[in-house]
Amino acid sequence: MVECEKLGFEATELRLGLPGGGEKSNANYGKRGYAETVDLKLNLSTKEICLDQSDLDEKNLNKEKNLMPNCATDSVKPPAKAQVVGWPPVRSFRKNVMAIQKKSDSEDAEKGTGAGAAFVKVSMDGAPYLRKVDLKMYKTYQELSDALGKMFSSFTIGKCDSQGMMDFMNESKLMDLLNGSDYVPTYEDKDGDWMLVGDVPWEMFVESCKRLRIMKGTEAKGLG
Amino acid sequence: MAYSFPEEVLEHVFSFLSSDKDRNSVSLVCKSWYEIERWCRRRIFVGNCYAVSPGIVIRRFPEVRAVEMKGKPHFADFNLVPEGWGGYVYPWIAAMSAAYPLLEEIKLKRMVVTDECLELISKSFKNFKVLVLSSCEGFTTDGLASIAANCRHLRELDLRESEVEDLSGHWLSHFPDNCTSLVSLNMSCLGSEVSFSALERLVARSPNLRTLRLNRAVPLEKLANLIRRAPQLVELGTGAYSAEIRSDILLNLTEAFSACKQLKGLSGFWDVVPAYLPAMYSVCSGITSLNLSYATIQSFDLVKLVTQCRNLQRLWVLDYIEDSGLEALASSCKDLQELRVFPSDPFGAEPNVSLTEQGLVSVSKGCPKLQSVLYFCRQMSNAALISIAKNRPKMVRFRLCIIEPRAPDYLTLEPLDAGFGAIVENCKELRRLSLSGLLTDRVFKYIGTHAKKLEMLSIAFAGDSDLGLHHVLSGCESLRKLEIRDCPFGDKALLANAAKLETMRSLWMSSCSVSYGACKLLGQKMPRLNVEVIDERGPPDSRPDSCPVERLYVYRTVAGRRIDMPGFVWTMDDEDSGLRFS
């Protein structure tokens, strides 16, 4: 019974934080606020807790905590509040299905194949160092191509302009280079094979691309 | 009556009347019309299985072919009705197996159905065609095997959201090879894997199959094989929508979908891998109903799919769609009539997605045909509700669930009375309303004054006093179902409006302030109501009369008190209960 009341009290404390600032709302409805507090306490301690203890006891609170996504990888989220039976009104059928999916989502995230960012290394032949891009930032091949162009433009300034002057058309020149036959964008897929960029639908490419390599046309034999 | 038509003519005329209301009106004209009508009524709907008894129904309507019935109160969906409460369909099946040998259809909702029931159905009705079990429980896959094996003319087997004890997937193999009549199969709630080859053969030999809802265990790699055998499908529920990324699977699936020229509805989508969504793009323009409520994918992927469905009328989706996704929906889907947004993390302390009242406001602004809403969110304002009300005066169903109980208007910190008041005042056709957030008695005054067509009202954590309940009971003329939880409503309003309860199907009140004494009084004064107290603390007699009851369920009935009540349900009898006939 003591544990029962303790749980109820804790739950009440959590629930005093009404959205928009609990303090304020208590001020506006001084009496109401107090009455609410009392109501909450009474409701929980005489009805929900004692009758539906199985829903509110430690075991189930922990179970609910496990439903939190990515609990192993992310920073600690605030624990689930002590629950009122049947609220919010989500059918158990739906709750169960979501629980199973959340678990597998968080497992996926740990394995690194989840819905988060998709950073891959990008190398360009002749460039002194590699870059990294998050493929999830783009929605089409064109967007990726534009971004890569911007990224690698600095490497081509020196090469393109023999007079050493800044060429303001560099970006488009690079685009021509990238789109033309001089440079060929390729990627390594999940099976370790090097593939030509652009063959498969964008979403499929994002899922299977492990790294990108912008090859000099002369080296890109057998991929065209 | 010298000028009356021959019976056959009247029967023929009556055969054009399908609505129960019309048939009931016809029965009241005169005795001979009552007689003719009752012999030719083929469909009956019993909204509360305890409102009438099998005997009474069979006596009045001897030639019924289709029965639809509901059992437990709606709040049973949210675990507010204890296990064992009731809703057993067996007595009905037993009575009908003798009285209605030509029965063709049984549709049940929230009832307890056992394997014996299913076996009895499969053996008693030679012409049995349609079995729909919605949110039912109590049976296993063995019961399904009986249905599959014995119902030679089965057209529909729909287990939507029922709780089935899944012993094995073998039941599906019981459909005999010469069963070719299947039109609709919904097994989405089952867990076990069925034999894929049996499923494939069943689909292949069912040329009339229009609806196929698979369960999660049917793998995506095999989906194309099934679809290819049923290009005439109108509704498809996928299994798990994930597989290793392989272009051959994607190609197969894309090809299979493109052959389905009649596809209008899609559902399923457990475990979605977004890379496979493009396979469906070719059918999107014809899709009118899309259930993505299990698809845990991000807004961007949801939007890509949804915005291609220009003819979408119904969308069920998780709150992953976010406000931005709903805005995109509002611009693309001008035919949208129904929107349901479910919470992905209902018990989380903090919001996990960027979904607010804005999403709903956008849809209400952009979709001129929007009339049915179920929306879970974490914040709401009166301004938003007023905006929604003004945008969509033709709203018919409005169910809002603000996740935190008693949450005020997040902008002004006031109650949401004005907002919901605007809803009932502007939406004159409103038939169903669910309230949430911080609400005083004022909102109930608005509802009683304006919601004249309201049939079903759900209230939780709202109101200040009995006045609230009184406004509703005295003002809502069309009210049929009222369900209330955790509100400070007590005896006065209930007793003052006792007569109203006979005009309604049912009233549910749990965790309110209705005393045992008031329940007894109500039971005594209203013999045509069953006043049932549900209390797991033991007999209410062991506590003072002033002690509030845990739960109260009141419903009108012509069948007298229930005879199947469990130990935690007590009926408040009328004074002459000893003289009751059933």
Side-chain angles (χ1 to χ4, degrees):
Chain A
M1 263 311 277
V2 174
E3 213 170 62
C4 182
E5 278 162 16
K6 243 207 245 167
L7 266 173
F9 189 70
E10 275 163 14
T12 310
E13 286 196 326
L14 281 171
R15 298 233 255 120
L16 279 177
L18 291 171
E23 292 303 308
K24 268 197 208 162
S25 69
N26 278 343
N28 279 339
Y29 304 94
K31 212 171 174 188
R32 156 169 289 288
Y34 178 71
E36 266 182 56
T37 313
V38 171
D39 270 353
L40 284 170
K41 268 203 206 165
L42 280 179
N43 277 343
L44 287 172
S45 64
T46 60
K47 286 152 189 159
E48 267 86 4
I49 297 265
C50 297
L51 306 169
D52 307 300
Q53 174 146 33
S54 57
D55 277 85
L56 288 170
D57 68 16
E58 279 296 307
K59 176 162 62 82
N60 281 328
L61 273 180
N62 283 335
K63 239 201 270 173
E64 296 299 357
K65 279 188 196 160
N66 285 339
L67 297 182
M68 294 282 143
N70 305 326
C71 52
T73 52
D74 284 8
S75 57
V76 177
K77 276 191 165 190
K81 298 180 187 174
Q83 294 180 27
V84 176
V85 175
W87 192 268
V90 176
R91 302 194 49 194
S92 352
F93 189 82
R94 194 168 284 284
K95 277 191 264 178
N96 293 341
V97 172
M98 294 304 298
I100 300 172
Q101 291 197 108
K102 278 222 168 82
K103 249 196 175 154
S104 50
D105 278 353
S106 62
E107 280 164 13
D108 276 347
E110 286 171 23
K111 287 187 227 147
T113 57
F119 279 100
V120 297
K121 285 185 193 169
V122 187
S123 61
M124 180 164 165
D125 290 359
Y129 48 82
L130 278 64
R131 299 296 303 270
K132 258 199 164 168
V133 286
D134 176 5
L135 294 178
K136 298 266 176 162
M137 295 288 291
Y138 313 107
K139 297 167 192 174
T140 60
Y141 284 116
Q142 190 57 50
E143 281 183 22
L144 175 63
S145 178
D146 293 345
L148 290 177
K150 288 195 170 77
M151 242 183 206
F152 286 100
S153 58
S154 52
F155 300 135
T156 57
I157 291 175
K159 284 198 174 135
C160 293
D161 190 354
S162 50
Q163 285 160 350
M165 272 169 47
M166 286 283 283
D167 188 339
F168 290 98
M169 299 298 284
N170 257 337
E171 235 175 74
S172 54
K173 253 196 186 157
L174 185 65
M175 294 318 247
D176 292 339
L177 282 173
L178 283 177
N179 293 333
S181 55
D182 277 21
Y183 280 91
V184 179
T186 64
Y187 71 101
E188 184 184 7
D189 74 0
K190 280 183 172 157
D191 300 327
D193 297 322
W194 284 93
M195 317 283 289
L196 187 66
V197 169
D199 283 342
V200 297
W202 172 257
E203 293 86 356
M204 189 170 252
F205 164 71
V206 172
E207 296 282 333
S208 50
C209 172
K210 285 258 141 337
R211 58 183 298 171
L212 279 158
R213 179 182 166 194
I214 303 171
M215 280 176 150
K216 264 221 175 76
T218 48
E219 291 191 30
K221 290 180 221 158
L223 280 176
Chain B
M1 286 207 277
Y3 56 90
S4 65
F5 291 127
E7 264 183 40
E8 296 79 19
V9 175
L10 279 171
E11 242 186 72
H12 183 68
V13 172
F14 295 167
S15 71
F16 292 99
L17 299 174
S18 50
S19 113
D20 283 344
K21 261 186 110 186
D22 291 340
R23 281 192 162 260
N24 291 345
S25 306
V26 154
S27 309
L28 293 172
V29 168
C30 62
K31 280 207 175 119
S32 66
W33 278 38
Y34 176 93
E35 276 301 305
I36 296 166
E37 193 284 318
R38 78 183 188 89
W39 278 93
C40 69
R41 192 174 306 207
R42 297 280 174 264
R43 311 191 140 260
I44 53 163
F45 170 75
V46 179
N48 172 6
C49 63
Y50 292 119
V52 70
S53 72
I56 293 175
V57 172
I58 291 169
R59 212 161 38 233
R60 179 165 173 193
F61 300 115
E63 297 279 338
V64 164
R65 300 273 187 275
V67 172
E68 188 180 340
M69 193 174 313
K70 298 188 182 180
K72 300 186 203 174
H74 174 237
F75 273 177
D77 284 355
F78 314 124
N79 301 340
L80 290 177
V81 177
E83 202 63 38
W85 173 85
Y88 305 106
V89 79
Y90 189 80
W92 288 87
I93 308 291
M96 294 191 302
S97 69
Y100 296 150
L102 297 175
L103 192 70
E104 294 177 4
E105 286 185 27
I106 296 177
K107 296 184 181 173
L108 306 174
K109 187 166 187 180
R110 280 189 217 101
M111 295 200 76
V112 177
V113 183
T114 58
D115 285 349
E116 282 97 343
C117 294
L118 294 176
E119 207 179 318
L120 194 52
I121 291 171
S122 74
K123 302 244 167 85
S124 312
F125 310 116
K126 298 296 164 214
N127 242 1
F128 196 68
K129 294 196 171 82
V130 173
L131 182 63
V132 177
L133 301 176
S134 176
S135 308
C136 293
E137 53 163 1
F139 58 104
T140 77
T141 41
D142 284 352
L144 296 179
S146 313
I147 297 285
N150 301 320
C151 300
R152 298 285 147 140
H153 306 285
L154 195 68
R155 284 213 211 125
E156 279 184 50
L157 178 59
D158 185 340
L159 306 172
R160 52 180 88 157
E161 296 179 351
S162 289
E163 255 181 66
V164 185
E165 196 185 326
D166 214 322
L167 300 172
S168 88
H170 196 59
W171 66 274
L172 190 95
S173 310
H174 284 257
F175 279 108
D177 289 338
N178 59 10
C179 172
T180 59
S181 48
L182 219 51
V183 172
S184 169
L185 177 63
N186 178 356
M187 45 180 243
S188 54
C189 61
L190 297 178
S192 306
E193 201 173 328
V194 297
S195 150
F196 189 79
S197 54
L199 179 58
E200 214 175 352
R201 285 195 311 272
L202 180 61
V203 170
R205 66 175 184 273
S206 305
N208 298 316
L209 195 66
R210 293 279 173 277
T211 298
L212 179 63
R213 300 210 195 271
L214 304 167
N215 64 344
R216 198 176 188 167
V218 175
L220 187 62
E221 304 92 75
K222 301 207 178 141
L223 185 61
N225 296 5
L226 280 177
I227 300 178
R228 211 173 280 118
R229 296 193 195 286
Q232 76 282 5
L233 277 179
V234 175
E235 292 178 327
L236 171 70
T238 71
Y241 206 76
S242 67
E244 212 183 310
I245 311 282
R246 274 169 41 193
S247 48
D248 59 325
I249 299 178
L250 179 63
L251 273 169
N252 266 346
L253 205 51
T254 310
E255 233 174 63
F257 269 114
S258 62
C260 295
K261 308 285 182 204
Q262 326 243 30
L263 210 50
K264 289 213 166 344
L266 287 170
S267 62
F269 300 112
W270 292 282
D271 315 314
V272 178
V273 162
Y276 280 108
L277 290 174
M280 297 188 304
Y281 286 173
S282 62
V283 296
C284 282
S285 58
I287 295 295
T288 57
S289 169
L290 191 51
N291 182 353
L292 294 168
S293 61
Y294 298 111
T296 52
I297 51 178
Q298 302 306 305
S299 177
F300 164 62
D301 292 307
L302 285 165
V303 165
K304 256 197 119 181
L305 182 59
V306 160
T307 50
Q308 296 204 40
C309 302
R310 304 251 147 201
N311 290 311
L312 200 61
Q313 292 171 14
R314 183 197 309 158
L315 176 65
W316 292 20
V317 74
L318 283 169
D319 56 9
Y320 287 128
I321 195 164
E322 300 194 323
D323 289 342
S324 55
L326 290 174
E327 216 178 294
L329 175 72
S331 333
S332 317
C333 304
K334 294 304 183 185
D335 272 354
L336 195 71
Q337 293 173 21
E338 178 179 326
L339 175 67
R340 296 196 192 188
V341 178
F342 295 96
S344 52
D345 189 17
F347 306 109
E350 303 294 320
N352 61 325
V353 289
S354 177
L355 180 107
T356 68
E357 81 285 6
Q358 276 319 305
L360 185 55
V361 172
S362 311
V363 178
S364 77
K365 222 180 287 205
C367 300
K369 302 194 187 162
L370 187 71
Q371 48 159 259
S372 178
V373 168
L374 170 60
Y375 200 76
F376 283 81
C377 61
R378 287 193 143 89
Q379 68 185 40
M380 188 49 62
S381 66
N382 282 309
L385 284 170
I386 292 169
S387 185
I388 294 165
K390 296 224 163 95
N391 289 337
R392 297 274 71 84
K394 294 255 162 48
M395 191 74 73
V396 170
R397 276 168 235 105
F398 190 74
R399 294 153 71 187
L400 180 67
C401 179
I402 305 164
I403 289 181
E404 180 67 27
R406 302 194 187 91
D409 177 327
Y410 77 101
L411 295 168
T412 65
L413 298 179
E414 288 175 351
L416 291 170
D417 299 338
F420 279 107
I423 295 278
V424 291
E425 202 176 344
N426 284 282
C427 307
K428 306 206 192 294
E429 304 297 313
L430 198 68
R431 293 204 305 260
R432 184 166 179 183
L433 179 64
S434 298
L435 306 170
S436 58
L438 183 64
L439 297 163
T440 71
D441 284 346
R442 213 174 307 127
V443 74
F444 298 113
K445 184 150 190 231
Y446 298 147
I447 292 174
T449 308
H450 296 287
K452 294 306 181 186
K453 298 238 176 109
L454 193 66
E455 295 178 7
M456 182 167 177
L457 180 61
S458 309
I459 311 173
F461 305 102
D464 307 313
S465 73
D466 271 42
L467 203 52
L469 180 57
H470 175 70
H471 285 312
V472 171
L473 288 176
S474 57
C476 296
E477 291 160 6
S478 311
L479 198 62
R480 292 190 298 114
K481 290 179 278 184
L482 181 58
E483 45 184 27
I484 305 173
R485 62 163 297 173
D486 293 273
C487 296
F489 299 148
D491 303 343
K492 287 196 223 90
L494 200 56
L495 293 173
N497 293 283
K500 171 73 174 175
L501 299 177
E502 271 188 17
T503 69
M504 291 166 52
R505 183 189 295 173
S506 65
L507 166 69
W508 168 278
M509 292 179 74
S510 56
S511 306
C512 295
S513 316
V514 181
S515 72
Y516 177 52
C519 295
K520 280 197 289 187
L521 195 55
L522 190 63
Q524 278 164 17
K525 295 295 177 201
M526 309 294 298
R528 287 185 297 212
L529 293 178
N530 272 357
V531 178
E532 292 180 5
V533 167
I534 300 167
D535 211 312
E536 289 176 293
R537 295 172 295 179
D541 275 329
S542 61
R543 290 178 292 278
D545 272 11
S546 56
C547 187
V549 298
E550 270 176 22
R551 287 166 262 227
L552 173 67
Y553 186 48
V554 181
Y555 56 90
R556 65 180 176 190
T557 180
V558 295
R561 73 203 305 256
R562 283 169 63 184
I563 49 173
D564 61 358
M565 288 180 297
F568 51 83
V569 177
W570 288 269
T571 268
M572 308 292 106
D573 284 328
D574 64 333
E575 279 145 349
D576 308 308
S577 65
L579 301 171
R580 273 277 180 95
F581 304 109
S582 74

